[in-house]
Amino acid sequence: MKKLINAPDAVLHDALHGVEAAHGDRVRVSYDPAFVVRRDAPVQGKVGLVSGGGSGHEPMHGGFVGVGMLDAACPGEVFTSPTPDQMIEATKAVDGGAGVVHIVKNYTGDVMNFDMAAEMGRGEDIEVETVLTNDDVAVEDSLYTAGRRGVGVTVLVEKICGGAAEDGRSLQEVAELGRRVNANGRSMGMALTPCITPGSGNPSFELGDDEVEIGIGIHGEPGRYREKIAPASQISERLMTPIVEDLPFSNGDRVLAFVNGMGGTPLIELYVVYAEVAKIARERGLTIERNLVGNYITSLEMQGCSITLVKLDDEMVRYWDAPVNTPALRWGV
Amino acid sequence: MKKLINAPDAVLHDALHGVEAAHGDRVRVSYDPAFVVRRDAPVQGKVGLVSGGGSGHEPMHGGFVGVGMLDAACPGEVFTSPTPDQMIEATKAVDGGAGVVHIVKNYTGDVMNFDMAAEMGRGEDIEVETVLTNDDVAVEDSLYTAGRRGVGVTVLVEKICGGAAEDGRSLQEVAELGRRVNANGRSMGMALTPCITPGSGNPSFELGDDEVEIGIGIHGEPGRYREKIAPASQISERLMTPIVEDLPFSNGDRVLAFVNGMGGTPLIELYVVYAEVAKIARERGLTIERNLVGNYITSLEMQGCSITLVKLDDEMVRYWDAPVNTPALRWGV
Amino acid sequence: MAITRDETLDWMRRFAGEVAEHRQELVALDTAIGDGDHGTNMNRGMTKALEKLEGAELADSGAALKTVAMALVSSVGGAAGPLYGTLFLQIGNALAGHSEVDLAAFAGAWRKGLEGVQARGKAQAGDKTMVDALIPAVEALESASDLNAGLRAAAQAAEEGMKATTPLIARKGRASYLGERSKDHQDPGATSTYYLFKSAAEALAG
Amino acid sequence: MAITRDETLDWMRRFAGEVAEHRQELVALDTAIGDGDHGTNMNRGMTKALEKLEGAELADSGAALKTVAMALVSSVGGAAGPLYGTLFLQIGNALAGHSEVDLAAFAGAWRKGLEGVQARGKAQAGDKTMVDALIPAVEALESASDLNAGLRAAAQAAEEGMKATTPLIARKGRASYLGERSKDHQDPGATSTYYLFKSAAEALAG
Ligand SMILES: Nc1ncnc2c1ncn2[C@@H]1O[C@H](COP(=O)(O)OP(=O)(O)O)[C@@H](O)[C@H]1O
Ligand SMILES: Nc1ncnc2c1ncn2[C@@H]1O[C@H](COP(=O)(O)OP(=O)(O)O)[C@@H](O)[C@H]1O
Ligand SMILES: [Mg+2]
Ligand SMILES: [Mg+2]
Ligand SMILES: [Mg+2]
Ligand SMILES: [Mg+2]
């Protein structure tokens, strides 16, 4: 294992120091319990947005803290959901009297820790709504599993809810909107290579020199199946088909298309994939009204990509376009 | 070799399609000869900025085309400088009557192709100034080499010159400012892993499981020497010392610190490095007034990082802060 | 025969030792069907738990186990944090106020712990989780006639339950995403649960 | 004995063939001390050059070589594009207007080509570049007494010049960044230059 770190156990702590040093003009960092919070939090009268999850998915979530997006992010250890005390303290730190939305990716650990936070936080007198994201169509038999995983749509939910919260919308409205984005979003991912967590030091799975793993999550877990590597056009089709057919998206729909890198894939390849996604969308009669291409929800150094489509409505477009000023997403400000 | 591509020879073309599909609201793409140009080019009365270089360094340069930064970027094949006809057409496309600055990284190929473009373009009646970047302190005996390479500082030159051009500064002023940024900038890079160009299919060099390559460029070329992997604190020191001592930077200097990922390094590791850079800067009495952390000038999927420091003056700060609206850098708009 | 506070502390030290010793094994099991952090998570948690135990004034076994619970909840994260946290909290609550714990109290406390884990994680027997080691172990305690025998039977039952997870298809937790591919791997959480019973037998059986 | 336009076209086809055949070799040489694209670059360029030659009305050898020059300049990029472009342009300019080319004219044209390459790239003998194959080959042409012998001697001299780059420390181009580490590797550009002379001997010597 070769990594730019000081010690496996120190990664999160050291990286938080880097975040504070680099973005101290926009965010503050609490180390114990660990969370990243908007400099100006709590914003009085505004609904607070808190997310969190394991580290190793950067820039998610810490890179999305700032005006127009999250008020706070709770980073767990690498690929390990954060703990209830982080969530409780972050929630308190961002409550401006209008309640707080927790954006939670649907993983057993994340859900249980946020649940415990809610139970333990009772009596704090902060109204909390939870938006659970579960957009990963790779998980098929969700009745016999922990349910679909929350992946790419989470970034979009955070941005769109962030815009709505900034616009003064109520706790219920922000949460409803987040749920609507999730309900209208579908994702699927694939890997060319595994990743190595600092704690384990070993590849998360073994892949042949000509194999790809289809239907992966974002924690280095193996996917649904593996197959021979194919041209980007076929791989894009492989991911797009289950996405488009699951919602289902139909001719005439307006969509946001998000091609996300898993962390180790060169941007030039993501653009190659985006070209294919645009072509497939066109063939299916979908109009891509907004897009995002880049590394936003990653799995350490894994090579591969995921595709997310969200069926848009006017309100989503409006809050997607709204100003945002975070380390990783910035526009309109 | 596993890549998200359709064919090695088609990478550049396919990626340009992706860029056009994703960013058509801000840029136009010419395919033959290949260049990416601001949608609103030529901007009358504004100095035009053209850069270019091999592909595989994304988002550089195509991702820096837009208001407040480049007017056009000429992408060569992967790791191969572009050709004179691209530069000539791009220069014509952006000339708004106030002349054009070519920002050229100091590599034999880039320099000779831009030279030929200048010779062949004579008689086109466009005034052209060239800013050559050569900030890489890893190249020591520059008398006996092709001179220092242009690396990280190029991104900063493009941003700062872009701000000045947008502000209506003259051709001479913009070029002088670019040269000043370059003259006050120093960089050094290292790799944990090699990269694989689509055309070759093989790793650019072989590294042991516990080795790192110090003093690399951005084309997968081997570095100055290799050594055993060390903690991020030591590696940062290894890069910072020759940078700081070369200019030299001294106690009290105001600097911009740029920690750049080579493409395959997780962002969390770049923040670990940035924490170390901030510490070393503090110890040396340097005040980091601005910073940039992320993958901006990359070598395909290479893991590793580079550090760039620029000694700032007020004018540089002003144009660094100026609005920019490109696919890869956006603020103030 | 009864369990004292100091024996409980010994149990926790031994459990922490087992987790540290088997950290890489737990990581490897979790790499195969999960995200490779279970060993690291449990080790971080039990290290923290021992730290807390050192500094604390502990009235009894119940107090000690509640301290462990809180340390785990606030340092482990993931699925294991809330699950082990709940387990220890329920056991600790049940044992609080008793300076000595007999077999009936101990088995009863474990039953509460198991119920807590199932309430939190919704896993049933056969879902390929730590519950598959817990259920037979708790039942062994409940049907034992003396503490020593009960502890040994529980450890053995946990081991068998752990091994029996191998052929199962996971229906809860991260491994469930793998569907059929989760077969032929032993569940990491069931494995750490076995170490918990193993160390209990070593520390608490006379 | 003289060189015709059609022989020149044959030369270019053979050179393109050598480059295609040795693409991976040139890539491997450039991977060791450069960025691994020389074979791909030259192959892209010569493929383009042949395409252009197909469609063109070509008066003579000079016109053919100028067509190759422009194709290379606008499709190769990197260091090799301007250098080979300049080389072919200078040779083509010198030969333009001659329907048949004798040894003196050919050697003179190559001298111009060499001068062009050195003016563009500033490399001297011993800098570990294509110039190290060019200089001895051009000199062999200049000192030959007939065309056939001159072409064969030039190919041999280019090969020797190419091999002699191996122990050198690069002082120009990308390999120069490596300093001492550039030793013990043959220069890719000198290698492609050798193929240029090799195919010249095959196509043009009777
Ligand atoms: N719903 C659940 N109920 C009971 N145990 C579960 C459940 N989900 C997961 N587990 C247990 O947790 C273990 C994984 O723990 P760990 O790796 O620390 O957390 P994570 O899966 O969040 O990375 C699994 O092996 C399984 O035994
Ligand atoms: N200044 C120079 N003068 C002459 N030849 C040079 C010079 N610089 C580089 N070369 C030649 O170019 C070759 C490399 O070409 P190529 O790999 O296509 O370009 P790049 O180095 O831009 O990737 C070298 O092997 C060397 O022979
Ligand atoms: Mg985990
Ligand atoms: Mg090159
Ligand atoms: Mg796990
Ligand atoms: Mg090369």
Side-chain angles (χ1 to χ4, degrees):
Chain A
M1 175 182 72
K2 288 195 287 188
K3 293 185 178 292
L4 290 169
I5 62 175
N6 289 312
D9 293 347
V11 174
L12 174 55
H13 175 266
D14 292 350
L16 284 175
H17 269 286
V19 168
E20 185 177 33
H23 307 299
D25 53 336
R26 267 168 293 170
V27 303
R28 280 178 287 131
V29 173
S30 158
Y31 291 88
D32 191 14
F35 59 89
V36 177
V37 62
R38 258 172 81 156
R39 251 215 103 69
D40 59 351
V43 182
Q44 287 310 317
K46 187 184 92 66
V47 169
L49 289 187
V50 175
S51 190
S55 294
H57 309 301
E58 289 67 29
M60 191 178 78
H61 298 276
F64 300 141
V65 174
V67 176
M69 212 158 165
L70 297 179
D71 292 83
C74 305
E77 291 293 325
V78 173
F79 290 177
T80 302
S81 89
T83 57
D85 50 324
Q86 294 173 263
M87 297 155 183
I88 292 168
E89 290 308 315
T91 302
K92 285 195 228 164
V94 309
D95 178 46
V100 175
V101 173
H102 286 176
I103 298 173
V104 184
K105 302 191 293 304
N106 186 36
Y107 296 95
T108 305
D110 294 66
V111 170
M112 290 194 302
N113 281 285
F114 269 99
D115 278 356
M116 287 193 91
E119 293 165 19
M120 291 161 71
R122 253 182 229 139
E124 291 289 352
D125 233 30
I126 302 176
E127 227 186 322
V128 172
E129 284 282 336
T130 298
V131 174
L132 198 69
T133 60
N134 60 350
D135 52 315
D136 187 355
V137 300
V139 178
E140 283 160 4
D141 324 304
S142 49
L143 276 181
Y144 305 99
T145 65
R148 287 184 164 175
R149 296 174 287 219
V151 287
V153 88
T154 315
V155 177
L156 314 176
V157 167
E158 292 178 1
K159 169 67 188 80
I160 292 172
C161 287
E166 216 70 52
D167 193 32
R169 307 294 293 269
S170 74
L171 180 64
Q172 298 306 330
E173 288 171 332
V174 173
E176 285 306 321
L177 176 59
R179 289 179 195 127
R180 200 164 81 234
V181 174
N182 176 65
N184 284 282
R186 295 292 187 277
S187 300
M188 179 124 163
M190 58 79 60
L192 297 163
T193 62
C195 58
I196 300 180
T197 60
S200 117
N202 289 311
S204 54
F205 48 77
E206 304 280 348
L207 263 186
D209 267 357
D210 58 350
E211 286 177 330
V212 298
E213 187 86 17
I214 306 278
I216 52 147
I218 54 170
H219 298 87
E221 61 268 51
R224 293 294 290 196
Y225 55 91
R226 59 184 51 179
E227 58 183 30
K228 295 279 168 226
I229 176 108
S233 56
Q234 279 174 46
I235 288 177
S236 304
E237 191 68 61
R238 213 76 166 110
L239 301 181
M240 281 287 277
T241 303
I243 289 172
V244 171
E245 294 179 354
D246 191 90
L247 188 56
F249 290 84
S250 40
N251 202 326
D253 281 347
R254 308 153 60 194
V255 300
L256 186 157
F258 171 25
V259 169
N260 173 63
M262 302 310 295
T265 287
L267 196 51
I268 194 169
E269 296 181 27
L270 298 183
Y271 279 113
V272 169
V273 171
Y274 188 76
E276 301 297 337
V277 167
K279 184 159 163 278
I280 297 167
R282 204 163 43 238
E283 286 163 6
R284 294 198 176 243
L286 308 180
T287 307
I288 301 182
E289 289 206 351
R290 295 293 183 276
N291 69 76
L292 187 65
V293 181
N295 291 281
Y296 292 102
I297 163 171
T298 62
S299 292
L300 294 170
E301 72 278 22
M302 177 178 280
Q303 290 176 33
C305 72
S306 65
I307 297 173
T308 301
L309 291 188
V310 172
K311 187 158 150 180
L312 290 172
D313 59 37
D314 288 339
E315 195 179 27
M316 294 181 202
V317 172
R318 175 165 145 225
Y319 290 129
W320 175 257
D321 289 346
V324 60
N325 186 2
T326 69
L329 282 185
R330 263 209 267 187
W331 57 74
V333 284
Chain B
M1 175 181 70
K2 287 195 287 188
K3 293 184 178 292
L4 289 169
I5 62 176
N6 288 311
D9 293 347
V11 175
L12 174 55
H13 175 266
D14 291 351
L16 283 175
H17 270 287
V19 168
E20 186 178 33
H23 307 299
D25 53 336
R26 266 168 293 168
V27 304
R28 281 177 287 131
V29 174
S30 158
Y31 290 89
D32 191 15
F35 59 89
V36 178
V37 62
R38 256 171 81 156
R39 252 214 102 69
D40 58 351
V43 182
Q44 287 310 320
K46 188 185 90 67
V47 170
L49 289 187
V50 175
S51 191
S55 294
H57 308 301
E58 289 66 29
M60 190 179 79
H61 299 274
F64 300 141
V65 174
V67 176
M69 212 160 165
L70 298 179
D71 291 84
C74 305
E77 291 292 324
V78 173
F79 290 177
T80 301
S81 88
T83 58
D85 50 323
Q86 294 174 265
M87 296 155 185
I88 292 168
E89 290 308 315
T91 302
K92 285 196 228 162
V94 309
D95 178 46
V100 174
V101 173
H102 286 175
I103 298 173
V104 184
K105 302 191 293 305
N106 186 38
Y107 296 95
T108 304
D110 294 65
V111 169
M112 291 194 302
N113 280 285
F114 268 99
D115 277 356
M116 287 193 92
E119 292 164 21
M120 292 162 71
R122 253 182 230 140
E124 291 289 351
D125 233 28
I126 302 176
E127 226 186 324
V128 171
E129 284 282 336
T130 298
V131 174
L132 197 69
T133 60
N134 60 350
D135 51 315
D136 188 355
V137 299
V139 179
E140 281 160 5
D141 324 304
S142 50
L143 276 182
Y144 305 98
T145 64
R148 286 183 165 176
R149 297 174 287 219
V151 287
V153 87
T154 315
V155 177
L156 314 176
V157 167
E158 292 178 2
K159 170 66 188 80
I160 291 171
C161 286
E166 216 71 51
D167 193 32
R169 306 296 292 270
S170 74
L171 180 64
Q172 298 306 330
E173 288 171 330
V174 173
E176 285 306 321
L177 177 59
R179 290 179 195 125
R180 199 163 80 236
V181 174
N182 176 64
N184 285 282
R186 295 292 186 279
S187 300
M188 180 126 165
M190 60 78 58
L192 296 164
T193 63
C195 58
I196 300 179
T197 60
S200 116
N202 289 312
S204 55
F205 49 77
E206 303 280 349
L207 263 186
D209 267 357
D210 57 350
E211 287 177 329
V212 298
E213 188 86 17
I214 306 279
I216 52 148
I218 56 169
H219 299 86
E221 62 268 51
R224 293 293 291 194
Y225 56 90
R226 58 185 50 178
E227 57 182 32
K228 294 281 168 226
I229 176 109
S233 57
Q234 279 175 46
I235 288 176
S236 304
E237 191 66 62
R238 213 71 168 116
L239 302 180
M240 281 287 276
T241 302
I243 290 173
V244 172
E245 293 177 355
D246 191 271
L247 188 55
F249 290 84
S250 40
N251 201 327
D253 282 347
R254 308 154 60 194
V255 301
L256 186 156
F258 172 25
V259 170
N260 173 63
M262 301 311 295
T265 288
L267 196 52
I268 194 169
E269 295 181 27
L270 298 183
Y271 280 112
V272 169
V273 171
Y274 187 76
E276 300 297 338
V277 167
K279 184 160 163 278
I280 297 167
R282 203 163 43 236
E283 285 163 7
R284 293 199 176 242
L286 309 180
T287 307
I288 301 182
E289 289 205 351
R290 297 293 183 274
N291 68 77
L292 186 66
V293 181
N295 291 281
Y296 292 102
I297 163 170
T298 62
S299 293
L300 295 171
E301 72 279 23
M302 178 179 279
Q303 288 177 34
C305 71
S306 65
I307 298 173
T308 301
L309 290 189
V310 172
K311 187 158 147 181
L312 291 172
D313 58 37
D314 287 340
E315 196 179 26
M316 295 182 202
V317 172
R318 177 166 144 223
Y319 292 128
W320 175 257
D321 289 346
V324 60
N325 186 1
T326 69
L329 281 186
R330 262 210 268 189
W331 57 74
V333 286
Chain C
M1 271 278 326
I3 299 167
T4 65
R5 188 199 65 170
D6 288 350
E7 284 171 329
T8 297
L9 290 175
D10 184 39
W11 172 28
M12 288 300 102
R13 273 186 220 108
R14 283 175 192 257
F15 179 47
E18 293 283 348
V19 164
E21 188 183 330
H22 296 282
R23 174 179 172 164
Q24 283 308 330
E25 178 201 356
L26 296 172
V27 160
L29 291 173
D30 195 32
T31 298
I33 55 171
D35 58 354
D37 59 359
H38 188 59
T40 310
N41 291 348
M42 292 303 292
N43 188 50
R44 184 176 56 249
M46 287 309 298
T47 305
K48 194 75 173 186
L50 291 194
E51 253 173 64
K52 295 276 177 199
L53 289 176
E54 289 319 320
E57 290 283 324
L58 301 164
D60 52 33
S61 294
L65 294 174
K66 286 201 284 184
T67 301
V68 171
M70 291 320 296
L72 295 182
V73 166
S74 67
S75 70
V76 175
L83 291 167
Y84 275 100
T86 300
L87 179 68
F88 282 107
L89 194 65
Q90 294 299 335
I91 299 176
N93 279 341
L95 299 183
H98 304 268
S99 63
E100 303 228 313
V101 177
D102 63 11
L103 172 61
F106 198 59
W110 272 102
R111 170 59 61 185
K112 291 274 175 224
L114 169 59
E115 284 168 8
V117 167
Q118 290 196 285
R120 169 98 27 234
K122 312 278 181 305
Q124 302 300 320
D127 284 353
K128 195 174 183 122
T129 69
M130 62 189 282
V131 164
D132 292 325
L134 267 176
I135 290 177
V138 173
E139 285 171 355
L141 276 178
E142 287 172 337
S143 60
S145 49
D146 74 82
L147 183 58
N148 282 358
L151 285 165
R152 292 206 189 88
Q156 200 183 324
E159 185 171 13
E160 281 158 18
M162 163 190 94
K163 287 187 178 155
T165 61
T166 302
L168 299 176
I169 297 181
R171 280 191 300 247
K172 279 282 176 288
R174 212 176 277 290
S176 70
Y177 305 134
L178 291 184
E180 289 280 333
R181 286 175 92 185
S182 65
K183 267 188 181 173
D184 297 330
H185 295 281
Q186 183 173 304
D187 180 61
T191 310
S192 54
T193 294
Y194 158 61
Y195 290 125
L196 180 59
F197 281 101
K198 176 168 182 268
S199 50
E202 284 165 8
L204 310 178
Chain D
M1 273 275 326
I3 301 168
T4 64
R5 188 200 63 167
D6 288 349
E7 284 171 328
T8 297
L9 291 175
D10 183 39
W11 172 28
M12 288 300 104
R13 274 184 220 108
R14 283 176 193 256
F15 178 48
E18 293 284 349
V19 165
E21 187 183 330
H22 296 281
R23 173 178 173 166
Q24 284 306 329
E25 178 201 355
L26 296 172
V27 161
L29 290 173
D30 195 32
T31 298
I33 56 171
D35 58 353
D37 59 358
H38 188 59
T40 310
N41 291 348
M42 292 303 294
N43 189 51
R44 183 175 59 247
M46 286 309 299
T47 305
K48 194 76 174 186
L50 291 194
E51 254 173 63
K52 294 278 175 197
L53 289 177
E54 289 318 320
E57 289 283 325
L58 300 165
D60 51 33
S61 294
L65 294 174
K66 286 201 285 185
T67 302
V68 171
M70 292 319 298
L72 295 182
V73 166
S74 68
S75 70
V76 175
L83 290 168
Y84 274 100
T86 300
L87 179 68
F88 281 108
L89 194 65
Q90 295 297 335
I91 299 176
N93 280 340
L95 300 183
H98 304 269
S99 64
E100 303 229 315
V101 177
D102 64 10
L103 173 61
F106 199 59
W110 271 102
R111 172 58 63 184
K112 291 275 176 226
L114 170 59
E115 284 168 9
V117 167
Q118 290 194 286
R120 170 96 30 231
K122 313 276 180 308
Q124 303 300 320
D127 284 354
K128 195 176 184 120
T129 69
M130 60 189 284
V131 164
D132 292 325
L134 266 176
I135 290 177
V138 173
E139 285 172 355
L141 275 179
E142 287 172 338
S143 59
S145 47
D146 75 81
L147 184 59
N148 283 359
L151 286 164
R152 291 203 191 91
Q156 201 182 322
E159 185 172 13
E160 280 158 19
M162 163 189 94
K163 287 186 177 155
T165 61
T166 302
L168 299 175
I169 297 181
R171 278 190 300 248
K172 279 281 176 290
R174 211 177 278 288
S176 70
Y177 305 134
L178 291 184
E180 289 279 333
R181 286 175 92 184
S182 64
K183 267 189 182 173
D184 298 330
H185 296 282
Q186 184 174 303
D187 180 61
T191 309
S192 54
T193 294
Y194 159 62
Y195 291 124
L196 180 58
F197 281 100
K198 176 169 183 267
S199 49
E202 285 165 9
L204 310 178

